Amino acid sequence: MNFPSLFSPLKIGPYQLTHRVAMAPLTRMRAERPSLAPRPLNAEYYGQRATPGGLIIAEASPVMATGHGNAGVPGIYSDAQVKGWRAVVDAVHAKGGLIFLQLWHVGRVSHSSFQPGGVLPVAPSAVPISADLKTMTADGKPAAYETPRALETAEIAGVVDSFRHAAINAQQAGFDGVEIHGANGYLIEQFLQSKTNRRTDQYGGSIENRARLLMEIAQAAIEVWGANRVGVRLSPYGIANDSGEADPMPLYTHVIKSLDPLGLAYLHFIEPRSSGAGRAEVNHQNVPSAMVLFRSVWSGVLISAGGFTGETAEAAIAAGHADAIAFGRIFISNPDLPRRLREGYPLTPYNRATFYGGEEKGYTDYPAYGELEQA
Ligand SMILES: Cc1cc2nc3c(=O)[nH]c(=O)nc-3n(C[C@H](O)[C@H](O)[C@H](O)COP(=O)(O)O)c2cc1C
């Protein structure tokens, strides 16, 4: 029997991947302003990272105006944004790559300066993020998080509808599928976890009720795309953005078991050891492995991300813990990451200072391996 390796093919939904090195969704805050549409620089960046039969999951993109919490993040709710994304998708397709879009609503991880009319951000309940964490206003000033406004029950259908419209927009932009961002302490995870969900309606209380929003959003995306072009990202045992369920096992077992029969393209984890990698360099010790814990309750394709090297990715796939590995930070600084891992070439280190915002520096100016000597 041939064991799968990082460079063996993999079927994801209707697509045939030629390797299992995926690009993780990475917020880079470089969209055009004020339209928040992707611009040619963004198409160049994604095109650089595309490989024939390789999967890219494009950065989290708010499905509606209230879903923003960071400056320069591209949306997927206006015609200009769809047009901008179309150029990104074309650049990836031109190289034979596949690209899914991550659909996002930040919920309470926002600030009133991002909200239409300057109102408070929305969340399942009026529970603020810990005062230990700080944010930035829309014009870049450090600020404390505010206490969000709890969504009315009647408003929730509108949120689900925004995810549906965003899924339609992603289709119009030519994407190959969508990934629902159910991770990292954002709106969907705020509903999932009892720490942030104190609701007493059908979206709060029991685990079934807390999972309802995710299930409704998944259903809406499936109606647009068909289940085999929809992925879901989760971060069980994560602590990003002041998240964290006291007892994650029953919650995530229920969520994963509920998603399993839908026939999704994939389930995508952020490994707890890397929770919060977007904010700081972390390597949490003595934490569980999401892929190891939950593999047995998921029968479909499993992608895992978080602190992988070529060697540990290869080992995870050979052991059957995951089917593909998504790479974040090292895909930023190695546009030709699949080739470097395959050939064992050295990796270029990333520069955290240029992760968020700016222009080509730290974005499109990382060379491919063969270009290094000439650079
Ligand atoms: C700059 C940066 C931006 C990120 N943006 C997103 C995002 O938009 N959506 C998401 O689900 N995760 C996001 N993450 C998390 C990554 O997708 C990934 O799970 C994490 O970096 C761990 O993988 P790594 O160790 O390979 O970097 C981000 C991480 C970084 C460093």
Side-chain angles (χ1 to χ4, degrees), residues 28 30-31 39 41 354 357-365:
R28 305 301 309 275
R30 283 165 166 90
R39 54 190 172 123
L41 183 69
T354 52
E359 296 292 324
E360 55 277 354
K361 189 172 179 313
Y363 191 56
T364 50
D365 65 349

Side-chain angles (χ1 to χ4, degrees), residues 24-28 59-60 102 104 179 181 183-184 233 270 274 277-278 305-308 326-330 332 352 355-356:
L26 293 160
T27 292
R28 305 301 309 275
E59 66 207 79
Q102 195 185 44
W104 197 22
E179 175 176 293
H181 196 342
N184 278 351
R233 195 171 212 207
I270 301 170
S274 286
F308 285 96
F327 293 84
R329 289 164 289 179
I330 61 173
I332 289 177
R352 181 169 283 276
F355 277 179
Y356 300 113

